[in-house]
Amino acid sequence: FKTLIKTDANTRGSLFGLLSLCRTANKHKPWIETEYQGIVMENDNTVLLNPPLFALDKDAPLHYAGEICGFRVHNGPSGSGSVQFEAVVLDRSTGEGLVRSKEPLDCESQREHSFTIQAYDCGEGPDGVNSKKSHKATVHVRVNDVNEFSPVFVERRYEASVPEGRLFERIVRVEALDADCSPQYSQICFYDIITPNVPFAIDNDGNIKNTEPLDSKRQRVHTFWVTAFDCGKNRAQADAQVVVTVKPSCKPGWIGWTKRVEYTPGSGSIPLFPALHLETCEETVWNIQATVELQTGHIGKGCDRDSYSDRSVRRLCGAVRGEVDLLPPPSPTANWTSALPTLPSSDSSLVFSFNGSSHVAVVPESVVSALSGDHFTLQLWMRRGGANIQAASTQTRGNRKEEETIVCSTVKNDDSFSHYSLSVHGCRLSLFYWPDVSAARPVKFLWKLEQVCDSEWHHLSLSVQFPSVTLYVDGVTFDPALIHDNGALPNPAPRQRIVCAICHFKCNPVVVRDYMCVDPLVKYVGGYHGLLSGVTVRPGSVEPHSVVECLYACREGLDFGDLETLGSGMKVHVNPSQSVLVLEGDDIESFNRAVQQVTYRNSLRFATPGVRPLKLITSLRCFNEESCLSLKQLEGYLVVLQPDAPQISLSGVGPHLARPAPEFEGPRGVPLFPELRIVCSLSHAVNTAAQGMEALMSDAVAHTLDGCEVQPLGEELNPEKEELLVDMDVVRERGLEIINTTAYIAITGRMYEDVLRSVRYRLAKGSARFERRFRLSCSEMNGRYTSNELTLEVNFLHSLDSLYHPSHLLASQQQFLHPSHHAGELSGHTLPNPHRNSVIPGAATVIIMVCVGFLVVMVILGVFRIRSIHRRGEGSRSEAKEGGNQWDDSALTIIVNPMEIKRYVRHQNSIEWRLFSQF
C-alpha cells in the first residue's frame, strides 16, 4: 500500500483495479466431514477425532479466500456441549483443527457428549469480509474412564449361621461396588479371603462356602476378612469382616410324632398330636400349611355312622314316616331283590351290587301303587364302579358312554301318569321328569358333580316339589341346571312301574321269574354299574335339611379343640365329611399350638373298632425359596379299640307259665311276657387304690334295642291250632316292622318293653296241647350285640272231665274236622275243610267210651304202683342221710299218658287225672 501511494495516479488506478479483482475471488465454501467420533481421556481436555479435523476450501491457494480462519462449536441434540468444548485452527493453509474441552471431563458425571462444528474461511481480505461457512458436522465425544476408584463393600460386616456337620454351596454372599464408569474398572473381577487357614472359600461372585464340615464343639464362631479387586486390579479401600456361627446339629421337621394313636370308645374327643411341634432350624418362613387326612373309606359307607338299619336311623333322625324301601332285604314278602348279589357291610346296611347288564330290580305293582304325586323325596347311598373299585382315573371319568339309570319310575296321579328317571353319565347326575307322560315334554335337571365319579360312597337326597327340585349330596345343597329342550324323546308307557338300575328293556313275560328278567336274549339299555344301598322313596312333603344332614352325618371325624384360642393369622378348614382338616398360618409358635389342638371325635357309644390311616402333609414357604425346607409326608394310624360290649339282660319272666287252657283259647290269648324287664349294662375294670387290684364294675345304660324275636322251640306253630299275636296298634304307633311266620315272629325297629309285653299266644278251642316252649332274644345295633336267650315253658291246664268225656273228645275231633265253624277265632288264617258233611257213627262212640273206661282203670292201678315204689325208695334214702327233708307232694302235678304212664298230678291231697293224648 505504501508503494501504491507513492506511484502516480495511473499506476494507482491499475493496482486498485487488480485489488478489486482479488476480492471477488472467494467463490467456494469450506468443506468438512459430516460426522466425527472423538475420544477424550478422563481428567484430560484434548479430543482425538476420527477422522482428524481438516477443513478444505477450493479457493486455495488464494490468500484469504482459500485459507481457514476458524471453527465454530454449536449446541448438540441435547442442547449442551458447546459450553464445554472449543475448536481451534492449527494451520490456516491446510485447514487443520483441534477440538478440546475447556476443562477436564469426568466420566462418572457424563460419559458421552455430542455437539456440532462448522468451519469458515478468511473471506476476501484481511478484514474477513464476505467469508463463507461450511455445513455443520456432528461430533460425538466419549470420555474414556480412568481407574480412579477402588471397590467398596456394601456392608462392612457379614453374619451367617449354619448347622454343623454339613457342606453348603453358599453360606453367605459378600458384595462390593466400584464407582468407575466403565465396565473394565467398575466390575469386581474377584474376591479373596485374606485371613489364612480358615475352612472357607470364596468365588468370583462373592459366595462363601465351607470346604469341610464344621464342628460346633471344636469352634463355635469363625471370623475372617475378605477383600475385593476390580478388573483394573485396584483393591478395595476397606476389607469386610465375615462371621459364621456354627449351630449344633438340627434336623428340620416335626418332632413328637406318634405313629400309633389309640382311641377308647366313649372317650369323646382326644387330641391326635398333643406333643407335636415343628422345628425349622431357624429357617425364616412366612407361610405354613398342614393338611391332616383321616382315611375312613373302608368303614361302611365312608365313616363310622350309626350301626342301625337305614330305617332305624331315619327314626332316630326324626324323618317323616311313610317311606317305601325299593331295595329291601330279601324276604317272603319282598322277594324282588333275592336275585341281586349283595356285599357285606360293617354298618348294618345291605349293599346291592349291579353290573350294568343283568342285575335289575323290578318293584311289584302292589308297592308302586302306594307311590303317587309330584311331591316326593328319593334317598339313596351310591358308589360308582361296583365291588372291585379301580383307580379314579381309569374307572370313574366317564369310561362308559351311555347313561346309567339308577331309578326309573312311572306312577299314577289321579287320571294321568308321571315319570322320572335318575341317571349318571360320567361326572354328571341328571333327573328327567315328565309331569304328564301323555302330553307334557320332559324337563331335565342336570348337576355336574365330582362326587358321582370318584368311586367313593355318597349319600344323595333328591327332594322334588315340581317344578322345584333340591339335591343334597352328603348333606350339602347343589343347584341344578335346568334344560327344557331335550330333543325328541319317546314318551314312557302309561303304566305303573319302578325299576332300579335300568329303565329300558324288553323281556318276554314267559321268562320273567321272581321279578327278574332271565331271558338270555333280553337287551338292556343304560344299566347302572355300581353299588346301591338304602334306596327309599317317600311321597308327600319333602324332608327338612336338618333331617338330611342327620342321615348323612358322620359320628367320627377330625375337629379342632378351641377356636377361641386360635392365634392371630391362623386359619382352620374342615371338609363336610370331617375327614380332612387344613391349618394355615405364618407364625411357628401359634402354628404349633394349633396343631396340638387337632382332635379326633367319635360320638358313637359303641364305635366300630379298627384302624383308620392318618396322614400329615406339610408345605412351607420361605423368603429364600432356594433354601426353603421341604418336609416329607408323615403317615400313621388311629386304632379304635374294641368297645365294652353291653350286656343286654332279659328278665322278669319265670321259666314256667301255667294257665288254664280256656284262657289261651280266648280271643286275645295269654300274654307270654307280661312282666318282662330289659336292662342294658356296661362292665369295665376299675383300679382299687386300697388293694391295688382291678375290680369289674357294671353301669346301667339306656338300651336302644332294634330287633327282637320270639321263636317256638321244637315244632313250628300249627296255623290251624295256634298263633302268636301282637298289638298292631302299638306296632304302628312306634313305626315298627313285624314278620309273623309259623317259625318265628320278628319285630324290628326301636324296641320298647311294652311292645314285647303285648306278645300273646292263642290256641284254637279244643286243642289237645299240654305244653309249648318259646325263646325270646333281642339285639342292638342290627345284631351287633345280642341279649341272653329267655326260655319260657307254657303249660296248659286241662280239666279231667273235659279230656275224657266222649262228647268233648268228639267236639275236639270235629273241631279240626270242621274248622270253618271257628274261622273268626284264628284271624288271618284259612283252615281247610276236607270233610264238611262227615259224621262219626254210633259204634265209634261206644268203642271210645269202653276204651276210656279201660284206660282209667289201668291208670289208677299204675299210679298206686308207682306211688308205693316211690315211697319205698324215699324211705331208704332217708335212712342213709340224716336230717333229710321229707317229700312234700302237696303241690305235685301228675300227668298220665293213656298209652304209657308219664307222670301224675296230685294237688291238695286229691289226685286229678289229666289225659294228654289226642284221639
Side-chain angles (χ1 to χ4, degrees):
F1 286 107
K2 291 179 179 181
T3 304
L4 182 61
I5 292 174
K6 291 179 179 182
T7 59
D8 55 12
N10 293 330
T11 304
R12 288 196 298 271
S14 299
L15 292 175
F16 280 113
L18 180 61
L19 182 61
S20 175
L21 179 63
C22 292
R23 289 180 179 274
T24 60
N26 191 12
K27 299 180 179 180
H28 300 91
K29 297 187 295 183
W31 177 89
I32 59 177
E33 299 287 345
T34 59
E35 186 176 16
Y36 295 92
Q37 301 291 336
I39 298 175
V40 59
M41 297 300 297
E42 188 179 20
N43 301 323
D44 195 3
N45 59 355
T46 301
V47 179
L48 301 178
L49 293 180
N50 182 25
L53 180 60
F54 283 92
L56 304 178
D57 196 320
K58 291 184 178 181
D59 293 326
L62 295 178
H63 192 53
Y64 298 113
E67 295 177 346
I68 303 300
C69 282
F71 295 92
R72 290 188 179 92
V73 177
H74 303 277
N75 291 334
S78 60
S80 62
S82 61
V83 178
Q84 294 178 306
F85 294 90
E86 62 180 359
V88 297
V89 177
L90 299 180
D91 189 345
R92 296 176 62 176
S93 60
T94 61
E96 181 181 4
L98 175 68
V99 176
R100 62 190 178 189
S101 61
K102 296 179 181 180
E103 57 186 17
L105 301 178
D106 187 6
C107 177
E108 287 73 33
S109 299
Q110 186 174 352
R111 189 177 181 186
E112 293 184 351
H113 301 268
S114 296
F115 54 90
T116 59
I117 190 172
Q118 190 176 36
Y120 61 92
D121 59 17
C122 295
E124 297 178 352
D127 54 357
V129 178
N130 197 22
S131 65
K132 295 184 180 295
K133 300 177 183 179
S134 69
H135 62 273
K136 292 181 179 180
T138 302
V139 180
H140 300 284
V141 178
R142 185 178 75 250
V143 181
N144 277 1
D145 187 25
V146 176
N147 193 11
E148 57 182 333
F149 294 100
S150 298
V152 177
F153 282 98
V154 177
E155 298 180 15
R156 295 295 304 273
R157 179 184 175 93
Y158 294 88
E159 296 182 358
S161 298
V162 293
E164 64 180 352
R166 294 172 53 189
L167 292 176
F168 298 89
E169 289 297 325
R170 185 179 71 176
I171 297 177
V172 65
R173 182 177 182 269
V174 298
E175 184 181 10
L177 301 177
D178 196 304
D180 288 314
C181 67
S182 65
Q184 178 182 2
Y185 300 127
S186 63
Q187 289 184 352
I188 306 301
C189 278
F190 63 95
Y191 295 87
D192 190 21
I193 298 177
I194 59 178
T195 302
N197 302 324
V198 291
F200 298 94
I202 188 170
D203 59 15
N204 293 339
D205 295 326
N207 297 314
I208 298 176
K209 65 179 181 179
N210 57 326
T211 56
E212 62 183 43
L214 304 178
D215 188 355
S216 62
K217 297 179 180 178
R218 186 173 61 183
Q219 186 173 352
R220 181 67 184 275
V221 179
H222 295 266
T223 303
F224 53 93
W225 296 84
V226 296
T227 189
F229 294 88
D230 62 18
C231 294
K233 296 185 179 181
N234 274 0
R235 181 176 171 176
Q237 291 180 352
D239 301 328
Q241 186 184 39
V242 179
V243 179
V244 177
T245 303
V246 182
K247 299 183 297 183
S249 59
C250 174
K251 186 177 181 180
W254 291 103
I255 299 176
W257 171 261
T258 302
K259 189 172 184 180
R260 175 188 172 99
V261 180
E262 291 186 353
Y263 177 79
T264 302
S267 302
S269 297
I270 63 168
L272 292 176
F273 321 113
L276 190 65
H277 66 278
L278 180 63
E279 176 59 58
T280 60
C281 296
E282 299 185 6
E283 179 71 31
T284 304
V285 297
W286 64 272
N287 182 267
I288 314 170
Q289 180 173 314
T291 303
V292 184
E293 295 182 3
L294 181 68
Q295 301 179 21
T296 58
H298 62 291
I299 302 174
K301 301 190 186 78
C303 70
D304 209 355
R305 294 183 171 88
D306 284 300
S307 298
Y308 299 100
S309 63
D310 290 330
R311 185 177 296 271
S312 298
V313 173
R314 290 182 59 83
R315 298 294 176 265
L316 295 173
C317 290
V320 181
R321 297 173 182 174
E323 73 279 359
V324 176
D325 197 348
L326 301 185
L327 294 178
S331 65
T333 59
N335 59 352
W336 64 89
T337 59
S338 58
L340 295 177
T342 59
L343 299 178
S345 176
S346 61
D347 66 348
S348 79
S349 300
L350 195 58
V351 176
F352 295 93
S353 177
F354 297 88
N355 60 5
S357 59
S358 60
H359 298 159
V360 179
V362 181
V363 183
E365 188 173 352
S366 60
V367 178
V368 180
S369 60
L371 304 173
S372 63
D374 55 2
H375 290 190
F376 62 90
T377 299
L378 173 65
Q379 295 187 355
L380 57 94
W381 286 91
M382 67 171 292
R383 180 182 181 183
R384 294 283 297 283
N388 298 321
I389 301 297
Q390 303 292 332
S393 59
T394 62
Q395 182 74 16
T396 62
R397 297 295 174 182
N399 289 346
R400 308 193 70 197
K401 297 181 180 180
E402 71 276 4
E403 286 191 350
E404 304 176 28
T405 302
I406 301 175
V407 177
C408 186
S409 170
T410 303
V411 296
K412 184 174 179 58
N413 301 324
D414 297 332
D415 56 350
S416 64
F417 289 86
S418 64
H419 175 88
Y420 71 86
S421 63
L422 183 66
S423 307
V424 289
H425 187 194
C427 291
R428 289 176 172 84
L429 179 74
S430 61
L431 174 71
F432 273 96
Y433 189 81
W434 273 266
D436 188 348
V437 298
S438 61
R441 293 176 62 86
V443 178
K444 183 177 182 180
F445 301 88
L446 186 65
W447 297 267
K448 186 176 181 181
L449 304 169
E450 291 292 330
Q451 290 87 340
V452 300
C453 59
D454 61 0
S455 298
E456 299 291 341
W457 277 107
H458 294 284
H459 180 262
L460 273 65
S461 179
L462 191 67
S463 298
V464 178
Q465 285 182 308
F466 190 77
S468 175
V469 175
T470 304
L471 174 68
Y472 298 94
V473 180
D474 298 338
V476 180
T477 310
F478 290 88
D479 295 326
L482 193 60
I483 302 175
H484 290 279
D485 187 9
N486 297 290
L489 295 177
N491 288 3
R495 60 184 180 87
Q496 291 192 133
R497 68 165 189 159
I498 294 181
V499 185
C500 292
I502 208 72
C503 197
H504 305 292
F505 68 96
K506 296 181 179 180
C507 187
N508 189 345
V510 178
V511 290
V512 174
R513 183 170 64 248
D514 295 334
Y515 302 100
M516 295 291 296
C517 185
V518 294
D519 187 353
L521 301 179
V522 66
K523 183 178 181 181
Y524 292 91
V525 179
Y528 175 72
H529 184 261
L531 305 179
L532 292 177
S533 178
V535 183
T536 62
V537 177
R538 188 184 60 79
S541 60
V542 299
E543 298 284 8
H545 190 192
S546 58
V547 173
V548 177
E549 288 182 337
C550 177
L551 294 174
Y552 168 73
C554 291
R555 293 300 191 94
E556 69 171 343
L558 299 173
D559 201 355
F560 191 80
D562 187 3
L563 292 175
E564 295 183 356
T565 61
L566 196 63
S568 60
M570 291 295 303
K571 299 179 182 179
V572 180
H573 174 72
V574 184
N575 67 336
S577 62
Q578 296 181 315
S579 60
V580 178
L581 184 145
V582 180
L583 283 174
E584 186 175 359
D586 52 11
D587 181 67
I588 294 181
E589 294 184 1
S590 300
F591 196 87
N592 287 335
R593 288 194 299 268
V595 167
Q596 294 173 5
Q597 294 192 52
V598 176
T599 62
Y600 168 79
R601 62 156 190 85
N602 196 320
S603 58
L604 283 179
R605 185 173 63 176
F606 308 110
T608 303
V611 175
R612 278 79 162 160
L614 195 63
K615 291 183 180 180
L616 178 60
I617 305 170
T618 311
S619 63
L620 303 177
R621 302 186 68 179
C622 309
F623 291 101
N624 188 358
E625 295 292 341
E626 296 180 359
S627 62
C628 196
L629 301 175
S630 178
L631 304 182
K632 66 178 183 178
Q633 173 180 296
L634 297 180
E635 296 183 358
Y637 53 92
L638 173 73
V639 181
V640 178
L641 302 178
Q642 185 75 31
D644 294 329
Q647 286 80 40
I648 306 172
S649 175
L650 306 180
S651 61
V653 178
H656 299 281
L657 176 63
R659 293 288 188 275
E663 294 185 15
F664 291 93
E665 298 171 356
R668 294 182 55 83
V670 174
L672 297 179
F673 317 107
E675 299 178 356
L676 177 67
R677 291 192 301 272
I678 304 175
V679 177
C680 184
S681 60
L682 291 176
S683 299
H684 54 91
V686 177
N687 292 324
T688 57
Q691 301 178 358
M693 301 176 61
E694 287 189 354
L696 194 63
M697 302 293 293
S698 181
D699 298 330
V701 295
H703 67 81
T704 53
L705 303 182
D706 57 3
C708 289
E709 182 178 290
V710 180
Q711 179 183 6
L713 300 179
E715 60 182 7
E716 296 183 1
L717 295 177
N718 187 345
E720 299 178 358
K721 300 179 181 180
E722 52 188 340
E723 64 177 341
L724 287 172
L725 305 174
V726 181
D727 191 342
M728 297 305 299
D729 294 335
V730 177
V731 171
R732 284 189 291 268
E733 180 184 353
R734 300 293 171 80
L736 305 177
E737 294 183 351
I738 182 171
I739 300 176
N740 196 350
T741 67
T742 59
Y744 62 91
I745 178 172
I747 306 174
T748 57
R750 184 70 179 272
M751 200 63 56
Y752 298 89
E753 291 178 348
D754 57 345
V755 178
L756 297 177
R757 290 172 182 173
S758 68
V759 177
R760 297 170 175 268
Y761 176 71
R762 180 174 177 270
L763 277 175
K765 289 185 178 180
S767 298
R769 177 173 288 280
F770 299 95
E771 64 178 1
R772 168 65 87 175
R773 298 174 68 238
F774 295 95
R775 180 173 60 200
L776 171 64
S777 61
C778 295
S779 63
E780 187 174 0
M781 303 183 76
N782 204 45
R784 183 174 174 184
Y785 301 108
T786 58
S787 69
N788 62 310
E789 293 183 352
L790 190 63
T791 302
L792 176 66
E793 181 178 343
V794 181
N795 295 320
F796 311 102
L797 304 180
H798 297 270
S799 64
L800 185 61
D801 294 338
S802 63
L803 286 177
Y804 76 82
H805 196 278
S807 62
H808 171 75
L809 297 177
L810 287 177
S812 176
Q813 186 178 25
Q814 290 178 359
Q815 176 185 356
F816 296 104
L817 291 175
H818 307 282
S820 60
H821 297 167
H822 308 278
E825 298 172 2
L826 295 175
S827 177
H829 299 280
T830 302
L831 302 179
N833 189 8
H835 307 289
R836 179 175 298 274
N837 299 321
S838 61
V839 180
I840 299 179
T845 303
V846 175
I847 293 174
I848 291 174
M849 294 178 63
V850 173
C851 291
V852 169
F854 177 76
L855 288 176
V856 169
V857 175
M858 295 300 294
V859 167
I860 294 174
L861 294 176
V863 168
F864 279 106
R865 181 172 177 82
I866 291 174
R867 186 172 182 181
S868 62
I869 294 174
H870 181 76
R871 286 179 175 177
R872 289 197 298 268
E874 187 69 17
S876 62
R877 284 193 297 270
S878 61
E879 294 176 359
K881 182 178 179 181
E882 282 190 10
N885 294 331
Q886 297 296 324
W887 178 28
D888 183 9
D889 59 349
S890 60
L892 179 63
T893 300
I894 303 175
I895 302 172
V896 181
N897 191 305
M899 299 303 177
E900 58 177 339
I901 301 173
K902 284 187 174 180
R903 52 182 175 170
Y904 57 90
V905 179
R906 182 179 178 186
H907 181 65
Q908 294 182 355
N909 298 324
S910 63
I911 299 177
E912 181 180 26
W913 301 100
R914 304 184 180 192
L915 299 179
F916 277 58
S917 64
Q918 300 178 10
F919 293 89

